[in-house]
Amino acid sequence: MNTIPAVLITGASSGIGFTYAERFAQRGHDLVLVARDGARMEALATRLRQQHGIAIEVLPADLTQPGELAAVEKRLREDQRIGILVNNAGMNVGGSFIDQATDDIGQLVALNTTALVRLASAIAPRLAAAGEGTIINIASVVGLAPEFGMSVYGATKAFVLFLSQGLHLELAPKGVYVQAVLPAATRTEIWQRSGTDVNTLSGVMEVGELVDAALVGFDRREAVTIPPLHDVALWEASEATRRAMLPEFAQQHAAARYQVVAGSEQ
Ligand code: NAP
Protein backbone atom coordinates (compact mmCIF):
# COMPACT_ATOMS: atom_id res chain seq x y z
CA MET A 1 0.00 0.00 0.00
CA ASN A 2 1.61 3.21 -1.11
CA THR A 3 -1.29 5.39 -0.01
CA ILE A 4 -2.39 5.91 3.61
CA PRO A 5 -4.39 2.77 4.48
CA ALA A 6 -8.04 2.95 5.49
CA VAL A 7 -8.86 1.94 9.08
CA LEU A 8 -11.83 -0.22 10.08
CA ILE A 9 -12.79 0.46 13.70
CA THR A 10 -15.31 -1.64 15.61
CA GLY A 11 -17.21 -0.02 18.47
CA ALA A 12 -16.75 3.37 16.82
CA SER A 13 -20.00 4.91 18.07
CA SER A 14 -18.66 5.83 21.53
CA GLY A 15 -15.71 5.82 23.90
CA ILE A 16 -12.35 4.42 22.87
CA GLY A 17 -13.40 3.45 19.32
CA PHE A 18 -14.97 6.88 18.73
CA THR A 19 -11.70 8.50 19.87
CA TYR A 20 -9.59 6.22 17.65
CA ALA A 21 -11.79 7.39 14.75
CA GLU A 22 -11.04 11.04 15.60
CA ARG A 23 -7.31 10.39 15.90
CA PHE A 24 -6.94 8.34 12.71
CA ALA A 25 -9.02 10.97 10.87
CA GLN A 26 -6.57 13.64 12.10
CA ARG A 27 -3.78 11.49 10.66
CA GLY A 28 -5.50 11.51 7.25
CA HIS A 29 -6.79 7.91 7.16
CA ASP A 30 -10.08 7.04 5.49
CA LEU A 31 -12.36 5.17 7.89
CA VAL A 32 -14.92 2.39 8.04
CA LEU A 33 -16.93 2.69 11.25
CA VAL A 34 -18.69 -0.34 12.73
CA ALA A 35 -21.12 -0.55 15.70
CA ARG A 36 -24.87 -0.97 16.14
CA ASP A 37 -25.83 2.71 16.43
CA GLY A 38 -25.69 3.96 12.85
CA ALA A 39 -27.05 7.43 13.67
CA ARG A 40 -24.26 8.18 16.15
CA MET A 41 -21.63 7.02 13.68
CA GLU A 42 -23.21 9.09 10.86
CA ALA A 43 -23.01 12.20 13.06
CA LEU A 44 -19.33 11.49 13.80
CA ALA A 45 -18.62 10.75 10.13
CA THR A 46 -20.24 14.00 8.97
CA ARG A 47 -18.07 16.04 11.35
CA LEU A 48 -14.84 14.20 10.54
CA ARG A 49 -15.42 14.43 6.76
CA GLN A 50 -15.85 18.20 7.12
CA GLN A 51 -12.86 18.63 9.43
CA HIS A 52 -10.38 16.39 7.65
CA GLY A 53 -11.65 15.86 4.09
CA ILE A 54 -11.40 12.08 4.37
CA ALA A 55 -13.75 9.34 3.12
CA ILE A 56 -15.78 7.61 5.82
CA GLU A 57 -18.21 4.75 5.49
CA VAL A 58 -20.61 3.77 8.24
CA LEU A 59 -21.27 0.04 8.45
CA PRO A 60 -23.87 -0.67 11.15
CA ALA A 61 -23.60 -4.20 12.52
CA ASP A 62 -24.35 -6.15 15.67
CA LEU A 63 -21.18 -8.20 15.95
CA THR A 64 -22.89 -10.82 18.13
CA GLN A 65 -25.16 -11.71 15.19
CA PRO A 66 -23.37 -14.19 12.90
CA GLY A 67 -24.91 -12.81 9.69
CA GLU A 68 -24.00 -9.20 10.49
CA LEU A 69 -20.53 -10.21 11.65
CA ALA A 70 -20.04 -12.13 8.38
CA ALA A 71 -20.71 -8.94 6.38
CA VAL A 72 -17.89 -7.16 8.23
CA GLU A 73 -15.60 -10.17 7.77
CA LYS A 74 -16.33 -10.11 4.02
CA ARG A 75 -15.45 -6.44 3.89
CA LEU A 76 -12.13 -7.04 5.66
CA ARG A 77 -11.34 -9.96 3.37
CA GLU A 78 -12.09 -8.14 0.14
CA ASP A 79 -11.44 -4.40 0.57
CA GLN A 80 -7.79 -3.89 -0.36
CA ARG A 81 -7.88 -0.30 0.92
CA ILE A 82 -8.30 -1.40 4.55
CA GLY A 83 -4.84 -1.84 6.04
CA ILE A 84 -5.59 -1.34 9.74
CA LEU A 85 -8.19 -3.12 11.89
CA VAL A 86 -9.00 -1.69 15.32
CA ASN A 87 -10.71 -4.57 17.14
CA ASN A 88 -12.28 -2.44 19.87
CA ALA A 89 -15.99 -3.29 20.29
CA GLY A 90 -16.53 -4.84 23.69
CA MET A 91 -18.92 -5.07 26.59
CA ASN A 92 -19.08 -6.01 30.24
CA VAL A 93 -21.89 -7.51 32.30
CA GLY A 94 -22.36 -6.26 35.85
CA GLY A 95 -22.57 -8.45 38.94
CA SER A 96 -20.75 -11.53 40.13
CA PHE A 97 -20.63 -14.79 38.12
CA ILE A 98 -23.56 -16.43 39.90
CA ASP A 99 -25.70 -13.30 39.38
CA GLN A 100 -24.95 -12.94 35.67
CA ALA A 101 -27.49 -14.50 33.29
CA THR A 102 -26.04 -17.32 31.19
CA ASP A 103 -27.32 -15.66 28.00
CA ASP A 104 -25.64 -12.36 28.93
CA ILE A 105 -22.36 -14.23 29.47
CA GLY A 106 -22.81 -15.80 26.04
CA GLN A 107 -23.24 -12.35 24.46
CA LEU A 108 -20.16 -11.05 26.26
CA VAL A 109 -18.01 -13.93 25.05
CA ALA A 110 -19.44 -13.66 21.53
CA LEU A 111 -18.56 -9.96 21.23
CA ASN A 112 -15.29 -9.79 23.15
CA THR A 113 -13.72 -12.97 21.80
CA THR A 114 -15.56 -14.65 18.89
CA ALA A 115 -16.18 -11.49 16.88
CA LEU A 116 -12.69 -10.17 17.60
CA VAL A 117 -10.87 -13.32 16.48
CA ARG A 118 -13.11 -13.83 13.44
CA LEU A 119 -12.40 -10.27 12.26
CA ALA A 120 -8.66 -10.76 12.81
CA SER A 121 -8.88 -14.04 10.88
CA ALA A 122 -10.72 -12.32 8.03
CA ILE A 123 -8.06 -9.65 7.46
CA ALA A 124 -4.79 -11.34 8.48
CA PRO A 125 -4.21 -13.51 5.37
CA ARG A 126 -4.69 -10.50 3.08
CA LEU A 127 -2.32 -8.34 5.15
CA ALA A 128 0.26 -11.13 5.27
CA ALA A 129 0.04 -11.50 1.48
CA ALA A 130 0.55 -7.74 1.12
CA GLY A 131 3.47 -7.85 3.58
CA GLU A 132 2.09 -4.94 5.61
CA GLY A 133 -0.79 -3.83 7.81
CA THR A 134 -1.86 -3.66 11.43
CA ILE A 135 -4.31 -5.30 13.82
CA ILE A 136 -4.94 -3.39 17.08
CA ASN A 137 -6.79 -5.43 19.71
CA ILE A 138 -8.25 -3.70 22.76
CA ALA A 139 -7.73 -5.95 25.77
CA SER A 140 -7.73 -4.76 29.42
CA VAL A 141 -5.62 -4.91 32.57
CA VAL A 142 -8.55 -6.90 33.97
CA GLY A 143 -7.21 -9.78 31.87
CA LEU A 144 -4.20 -9.85 34.20
CA ALA A 145 -6.23 -9.67 37.39
CA PRO A 146 -8.60 -12.47 38.50
CA GLU A 147 -8.59 -10.58 41.81
CA PHE A 148 -10.72 -7.76 40.33
CA GLY A 149 -13.90 -9.87 40.51
CA MET A 150 -14.82 -9.57 36.82
CA SER A 151 -14.13 -13.19 35.93
CA VAL A 152 -15.80 -13.61 32.55
CA TYR A 153 -14.92 -10.14 31.26
CA GLY A 154 -11.33 -10.63 32.46
CA ALA A 155 -11.18 -14.06 30.85
CA THR A 156 -12.20 -12.58 27.49
CA LYS A 157 -9.50 -9.93 27.86
CA ALA A 158 -6.88 -12.56 28.78
CA PHE A 159 -7.91 -14.28 25.54
CA VAL A 160 -7.36 -11.03 23.63
CA LEU A 161 -3.92 -10.51 25.18
CA PHE A 162 -2.80 -14.09 24.50
CA LEU A 163 -4.16 -14.01 20.96
CA SER A 164 -2.42 -10.71 20.27
CA GLN A 165 0.92 -11.89 21.63
CA GLY A 166 0.66 -15.09 19.59
CA LEU A 167 -0.34 -13.27 16.42
CA HIS A 168 2.43 -10.72 16.96
CA LEU A 169 4.96 -13.56 16.92
CA GLU A 170 3.30 -15.30 13.94
CA LEU A 171 2.68 -12.27 11.76
CA ALA A 172 5.59 -9.90 12.45
CA PRO A 173 7.89 -11.94 10.17
CA LYS A 174 5.28 -11.45 7.43
CA GLY A 175 5.30 -7.67 7.86
CA VAL A 176 2.05 -7.44 9.84
CA TYR A 177 2.06 -5.58 13.16
CA VAL A 178 -0.25 -6.74 15.97
CA GLN A 179 -0.72 -4.59 19.07
CA ALA A 180 -2.58 -5.40 22.29
CA VAL A 181 -3.73 -2.33 24.20
CA LEU A 182 -4.52 -2.79 27.90
CA PRO A 183 -6.47 0.13 29.35
CA ALA A 184 -7.44 0.25 33.01
CA ALA A 185 -10.56 2.18 34.08
CA THR A 186 -11.26 4.77 31.39
CA ARG A 187 -14.13 7.27 31.35
CA THR A 188 -16.51 5.81 28.73
CA GLU A 189 -20.07 4.51 28.56
CA ILE A 190 -19.03 0.90 29.26
CA TRP A 191 -19.39 1.55 33.00
CA GLN A 192 -22.90 2.94 32.79
CA ARG A 193 -23.92 0.21 30.33
CA SER A 194 -22.91 -2.44 32.90
CA GLY A 195 -24.50 -0.69 35.88
CA THR A 196 -21.58 1.19 37.51
CA ASP A 197 -21.37 4.95 38.04
CA VAL A 198 -17.85 5.75 36.82
CA ASN A 199 -17.78 8.76 39.16
CA THR A 200 -17.63 6.38 42.14
CA LEU A 201 -14.26 5.05 40.90
CA SER A 202 -10.82 6.54 41.52
CA GLY A 203 -7.88 6.52 39.12
CA VAL A 204 -10.02 6.84 36.00
CA MET A 205 -8.22 7.92 32.81
CA GLU A 206 -9.84 10.28 30.30
CA VAL A 207 -10.44 8.55 26.98
CA GLY A 208 -8.39 11.04 24.92
CA GLU A 209 -5.32 10.47 27.07
CA LEU A 210 -5.78 6.69 26.83
CA VAL A 211 -6.00 6.64 23.04
CA ASP A 212 -3.16 9.13 22.58
CA ALA A 213 -0.94 6.93 24.78
CA ALA A 214 -2.01 3.81 22.89
CA LEU A 215 -1.03 5.54 19.65
CA VAL A 216 2.43 6.31 21.06
CA GLY A 217 2.77 2.55 21.56
CA PHE A 218 1.40 2.00 18.02
CA ASP A 219 3.96 4.38 16.52
CA ARG A 220 6.71 2.52 18.43
CA ARG A 221 5.35 -0.82 17.18
CA GLU A 222 4.99 -2.17 20.73
CA ALA A 223 3.45 -5.65 21.00
CA VAL A 224 1.75 -4.80 24.30
CA THR A 225 0.84 -1.27 25.37
CA ILE A 226 -0.34 -0.64 28.93
CA PRO A 227 -0.97 3.13 29.20
CA PRO A 228 -1.76 3.22 32.96
CA LEU A 229 1.29 1.16 34.02
CA HIS A 230 3.95 3.67 35.08
CA ASP A 231 6.64 1.13 36.00
CA VAL A 232 7.15 -0.88 32.80
CA ALA A 233 9.81 -2.97 34.58
CA LEU A 234 6.95 -4.77 36.39
CA TRP A 235 5.47 -5.96 33.09
CA GLU A 236 8.88 -6.90 31.74
CA ALA A 237 9.67 -8.92 34.89
CA SER A 238 6.30 -10.69 34.65
CA GLU A 239 6.97 -11.60 31.03
CA ALA A 240 10.50 -12.75 31.85
CA THR A 241 9.13 -15.03 34.61
CA ARG A 242 6.54 -16.50 32.23
CA ARG A 243 9.14 -17.12 29.53
CA ALA A 244 11.51 -18.74 32.04
CA MET A 245 8.88 -21.48 32.62
CA LEU A 246 8.61 -22.44 28.96
CA PRO A 247 11.68 -24.69 28.66
CA GLU A 248 10.63 -26.40 31.91
CA PHE A 249 7.33 -27.81 30.57
CA ALA A 250 8.69 -30.67 28.44
CA GLN A 251 9.19 -33.36 31.11
CA GLN A 252 8.75 -37.11 30.97
CA HIS A 253 7.93 -37.27 34.67
CA ALA A 254 5.67 -35.29 36.98
CA ALA A 255 7.23 -32.83 39.39
CA ALA A 256 8.49 -34.28 42.66
CA ARG A 257 5.56 -32.78 44.56
CA TYR A 258 3.18 -34.96 42.49
CA GLN A 259 5.20 -38.18 42.67
CA VAL A 260 3.21 -40.93 44.36
CA VAL A 261 5.27 -42.65 46.99
CA ALA A 262 4.44 -46.39 47.02
CA GLY A 263 2.28 -47.29 50.00
CA SER A 264 1.49 -43.69 50.95
CA GLU A 265 -1.80 -43.42 48.98
CA GLN A 266 -5.05 -44.96 50.19
P1 NAP B 1 -18.18 1.99 25.20
O1 NAP B 1 -18.14 3.48 25.18
O2 NAP B 1 -19.33 1.30 25.82
O3 NAP B 1 -17.97 1.51 23.70
C1 NAP B 1 -18.26 0.19 23.30
C2 NAP B 1 -18.44 0.19 21.78
O4 NAP B 1 -18.75 -1.13 21.36
C3 NAP B 1 -19.59 1.08 21.36
O5 NAP B 1 -19.24 1.75 20.17
C4 NAP B 1 -20.72 0.10 21.11
O6 NAP B 1 -21.56 0.65 20.11
C5 NAP B 1 -19.95 -1.09 20.59
N1 NAP B 1 -20.69 -2.32 20.75
C6 NAP B 1 -21.25 -2.81 21.90
N2 NAP B 1 -21.93 -3.94 21.64
C7 NAP B 1 -21.80 -4.16 20.30
C8 NAP B 1 -22.28 -5.17 19.42
N3 NAP B 1 -23.05 -6.17 19.87
N4 NAP B 1 -21.95 -5.08 18.11
C9 NAP B 1 -21.19 -4.06 17.66
N5 NAP B 1 -20.72 -3.08 18.42
C10 NAP B 1 -21.02 -3.14 19.74
O7 NAP B 1 -16.89 1.40 25.94
P2 NAP B 1 -15.33 1.57 25.72
O8 NAP B 1 -14.73 1.71 27.05
O9 NAP B 1 -15.02 2.57 24.68
O10 NAP B 1 -14.98 0.12 25.18
C11 NAP B 1 -14.12 -0.12 24.10
C12 NAP B 1 -13.21 -1.29 24.41
O11 NAP B 1 -12.34 -0.92 25.47
C13 NAP B 1 -13.94 -2.54 24.90
O12 NAP B 1 -13.37 -3.68 24.28
C14 NAP B 1 -13.67 -2.56 26.38
O13 NAP B 1 -13.72 -3.85 26.92
C15 NAP B 1 -12.27 -1.96 26.42
N6 NAP B 1 -11.85 -1.43 27.71
C16 NAP B 1 -12.51 -0.40 28.30
C17 NAP B 1 -12.10 0.07 29.54
C18 NAP B 1 -12.82 1.20 30.24
O14 NAP B 1 -12.63 1.38 31.46
N7 NAP B 1 -13.58 2.01 29.52
C19 NAP B 1 -11.01 -0.53 30.19
C20 NAP B 1 -10.35 -1.59 29.57
C21 NAP B 1 -10.77 -2.02 28.33
P3 NAP B 1 -23.14 0.34 19.88
O15 NAP B 1 -23.82 0.35 21.21
O16 NAP B 1 -23.54 1.44 18.94
O17 NAP B 1 -23.17 -1.01 19.21
Side-chain angles (χ1 to χ4, degrees), residues 25-77:
Q26 281 164 8
R27 292 176 174 219
H29 294 263
D30 292 340
L31 303 175
V32 181
L33 307 179
V34 177
R36 291 168 302 181
D37 191 332
R40 281 181 93 174
M41 293 189 291
E42 284 295 354
L44 173 65
T46 300
R47 173 165 65 81
L48 294 179
R49 282 186 202 108
Q50 283 169 0
Q51 287 176 339
H52 304 290
I54 54 169
I56 307 182
E57 191 181 331
V58 170
L59 194 57
D62 182 339
L63 297 174
T64 66
Q65 298 302 310
E68 298 182 36
L69 175 59
V72 183
E73 291 168 23
K74 185 170 188 293
R75 186 63 188 271
L76 287 169
R77 224 170 257 123

Side-chain angles (χ1 to χ4, degrees), residues 2 31 34-35 37 42 46 62 99 102 108 113 118 124 148 176 207 209 225 263:
N2 296 321
L31 303 175
V34 177
D37 191 332
E42 284 295 354
T46 300
D62 182 339
D99 297 325
T102 305
L108 169 61
T113 65
R118 289 191 66 102
F148 286 3
V176 181
V207 68
E209 181 161 349
T225 298

Side-chain angles (χ1 to χ4, degrees), residues 10-18 34-38 40-41 61-65 87-92 107 111-112 116 138-142 153 157 181-191 193 198 204 207:
T10 68
S13 64
S14 69
I16 294 170
F18 183 99
V34 177
R36 291 168 302 181
D37 191 332
R40 281 181 93 174
M41 293 189 291
D62 182 339
L63 297 174
T64 66
Q65 298 302 310
N87 244 332
N88 162 79
M91 62 177 287
N92 187 20
Q107 290 284 105
L111 181 63
N112 293 13
L116 180 139
I138 308 301
S140 168
V141 298
V142 180
Y153 176 81
K157 295 304 184 178
V181 176
L182 278 62
T186 307
R187 193 178 308 279
T188 69
E189 293 172 21
I190 199 169
W191 294 98
R193 290 180 200 248
V198 71
V204 177
V207 68

Side-chain angles (χ1 to χ4, degrees), residues 83 127-134 168 170-178 221:
L127 298 183
E132 61 184 339
T134 297
H168 185 83
E170 280 195 53
L171 298 179
K174 301 180 189 307
V176 181
Y177 165 51
V178 180
R221 295 296 184 259

